[in-house]
Amino acid sequence: GESSRLSTYHCWHDSQYVHSTDLETDMSFFGLGGTGLKVQIKLAGSPETSNGIIPLDHYPSWKVRKNPFAVLRYPHAKPDNDPAIPDTQSVVSDITTPTMGTPDSLYNGAAHVSARHGPVYAYSAEEDIEGEVTILLPPGKKADHLGIKVQFIGRIDMGAAANEGRPRYDFISLAKELVPPGTIYQSKSVFPFHFRNIEKQHESYRGRNVSVRYLIKVAVERKFLPPIQKEHELIVQIRSTPPPVNEPIKMEVGIEECLHIEFEYERRCYHLHDVILGKINFLLVRIKIKHMELAVIRRETSGEGVALSSTASSNPAASLTVPHDSTGNNNILTETQTLIKYEIMDGAPVKGETIPVRLYLHGIPADLTPTYDAVNNRFSVRYFLNLVLVDEEDRRYFKQQEIILWRKVFG
């Protein structure tokens, strides 16, 4: 038999991420339904004791956050996966002001967990991972085992997009023996662990079809029985340096003898709290434009041949067009999200008109991540600026331009 008791914890549950400083699992050595051995995993350190531990105000998620004002209408809102939530609460927020510091209760369903279970922490790539494993037994009980070990694992979970038939891939796997084979008699046994100088290659990511996870895993080996295992997940963030080359984006696109526009963006690479500046120049206008929109799109691609797919889609033709799958690879799963969309022009433009662009990335109601470029040839996460023009017959002309995102500061 196995039952669980959670207090201030760190784990993924469906689409939500929950942080843990103290996670207990009741797994019995003594038959079904009996009270048996409990395993606790507790990580050491806090933002007050280490600069490599960063407090977060909510749990990272791939979802676009809900309308923060919905909680005022429904003050007792339940988590996202609760069918009792009214449909009006699923409206995507168009608020552009930064949300850092907003109370937890204004975020999506995961925030309701954080409000009850304490703070969420992220770890830098250079931070050592240390803590302790506690084994609890009822008074008068004993437990025979074949050894207790702790592992630090860096894992890519592919889910439906299994690469080479493998639903997961461990790019880090370090193990230490906490206790040799023997018998535990004490009602409480504490075993410290410390993983030093671990090269954390990739930032934590929680996507639709793929995720990058870092785990502390404890296994209690047993004779003739499968081991008792418990996993504890932690968030890792990696701070980068500015790219050495950051050229501006300038391209002329259009429809022959009907519409020609030139768009310019100040740079190609932006940090996650940056501001995108640019302008759109109308060189030729012979169709009746009703309005123009600018959107930020996140595209997650997973499966075999991701590197080839990324190369193919990063070199589109210089024309206004309609989206399509240019890879033709049935093994590729692609998830596209519109993170935010603005109307930047209303009414028909004339030749020579210039429309300015100013977009604050920190105001996007979603958890932006750095660009992932064909990680282990298994997945990529890329960001695009999508410029859309709509004419009076509601035909849509669009042009996408990739931008590169990187992390300048933690949080």
Side-chain angles (χ1 to χ4, degrees):
E2 173 175 341
S3 60
S4 296
R5 179 165 68 87
L6 302 180
S7 61
T8 320
Y9 56 89
H10 232 335
C11 62
W12 288 112
H13 177 68
D14 296 333
S15 62
Q16 298 178 2
Y17 182 69
V18 186
H19 172 71
S20 150
T21 55
D22 190 1
L23 179 111
E24 301 180 4
T25 300
D26 181 4
M27 292 175 282
S28 178
F29 274 106
F30 313 108
L32 296 175
T35 301
L37 178 144
K38 296 181 180 179
V39 179
Q40 296 179 346
I41 304 174
K42 185 174 183 179
L43 295 182
S46 68
E48 290 75 23
T49 60
S50 174
N51 293 328
I53 301 178
I54 307 97
L56 304 179
D57 61 359
H58 67 285
Y59 303 117
S61 168
W62 69 277
K63 292 184 176 182
V64 177
R65 287 195 285 272
K66 308 299 183 183
N67 183 353
F69 292 105
V71 76
L72 302 179
R73 186 179 301 176
Y74 305 102
H76 303 295
K78 300 178 181 179
D80 295 353
N81 55 5
D82 194 316
I85 295 181
D87 291 338
T88 51
Q89 209 175 345
S90 61
V91 178
V92 175
S93 172
D94 285 330
I95 294 178
T96 60
T97 53
T99 53
M100 296 295 289
T102 305
D104 283 341
S105 60
L106 298 187
Y107 288 106
N108 61 13
H112 296 279
V113 180
S114 77
R116 294 193 303 266
H117 291 284
V120 183
Y121 295 132
Y123 293 78
S124 69
E126 300 80 17
E127 184 71 12
D128 291 345
I129 305 301
E130 60 180 312
E132 60 186 28
V133 175
T134 303
I135 305 295
L136 300 176
L137 281 174
K141 297 287 187 177
K142 70 174 183 176
D144 297 323
H145 62 88
L146 299 180
I148 303 175
K149 67 177 182 179
V150 60
Q151 291 178 277
F152 181 83
I153 298 173
R155 175 174 294 170
I156 299 175
D157 279 329
M158 300 294 292
N163 185 282
E164 301 174 354
R166 299 169 58 188
R168 61 182 55 171
Y169 167 73
D170 292 348
F171 56 89
I172 297 177
S173 183
L174 302 174
K176 293 184 177 183
E177 186 180 58
L178 293 178
V179 185
T183 303
I184 299 177
Y185 296 96
Q186 296 84 2
S187 59
K188 180 178 181 180
S189 304
V190 179
F191 309 104
F193 63 86
H194 195 165
F195 291 97
R196 295 180 174 87
N197 303 321
I198 306 171
E199 182 183 0
K200 307 177 188 69
Q201 305 171 24
H202 313 299
E203 181 162 317
S204 295
Y205 172 72
R206 177 66 169 179
R208 182 65 177 86
N209 299 311
V210 66
S211 60
V212 177
R213 308 167 65 208
Y214 290 90
L215 307 168
I216 297 294
K217 181 178 179 180
V218 175
V220 181
E221 302 288 343
R222 299 182 292 172
K223 189 175 183 179
F224 305 127
L225 293 171
I228 295 175
Q229 298 181 345
K230 193 60 201 178
E231 296 180 350
H232 168 79
E233 186 162 358
L234 53 94
I235 306 173
V236 171
Q237 293 186 350
I238 301 176
R239 188 165 53 189
S240 304
T241 57
V245 178
N246 197 359
E247 72 280 2
I249 300 173
K250 185 174 183 180
M251 186 176 293
E252 183 177 332
V253 297
I255 303 171
E256 187 174 358
E257 297 184 359
C258 291
L259 176 67
H260 286 270
I261 64 174
E262 178 185 68
F263 63 80
E264 300 179 37
Y265 301 115
E266 191 177 65
R267 303 189 303 276
R268 184 179 300 274
C269 304
Y270 299 89
H271 62 77
L272 300 183
H273 293 183
D274 216 336
V275 182
I276 297 175
L277 298 175
K279 59 183 178 179
I280 292 101
N281 301 315
F282 288 86
L283 307 180
L284 176 65
V285 183
R286 291 181 179 173
I287 58 177
K288 296 181 179 180
I289 301 297
K290 185 166 60 174
H291 66 268
M292 181 166 59
E293 302 170 348
L294 182 66
V296 177
I297 292 176
R298 174 163 54 198
R299 183 171 300 152
E300 174 192 289
T301 308
S302 57
E304 297 181 23
V306 166
L308 179 62
S309 171
S310 298
T311 303
S313 59
S314 62
N315 295 285
S319 61
L320 294 169
T321 183
V322 177
H324 65 282
D325 182 10
S326 61
T327 65
N329 191 337
N330 294 329
N331 295 322
I332 298 293
L333 289 180
T334 300
E335 181 76 20
T336 300
Q337 293 174 284
T338 298
L339 303 181
I340 201 163
K341 180 169 64 176
Y342 298 105
E343 182 179 285
I344 60 174
M345 184 190 73
D346 184 20
V350 297
K351 179 180 178 180
E353 190 164 2
T354 298
I355 306 298
V357 173
R358 180 185 295 267
L359 193 154
Y360 292 86
L361 293 177
H362 194 33
I364 294 177
D367 295 313
L368 295 180
T369 67
T371 296
Y372 296 81
D373 186 13
V375 175
N376 292 93
N377 200 25
R378 284 172 167 79
F379 80 97
S380 64
V381 180
R382 304 162 67 211
Y383 293 85
F384 297 84
L385 295 176
N386 191 37
L387 185 66
V388 180
L389 289 86
V390 182
D391 65 15
E392 291 187 343
E393 298 179 4
D394 286 330
R395 290 177 297 196
R396 302 172 71 87
Y397 310 89
F398 83 97
K399 178 61 184 177
Q400 290 187 359
Q401 178 62 51
E402 183 178 8
I403 57 175
I404 309 298
L405 299 187
W406 57 282
R407 182 177 298 281
K408 182 179 180 181
V409 297
F410 295 123

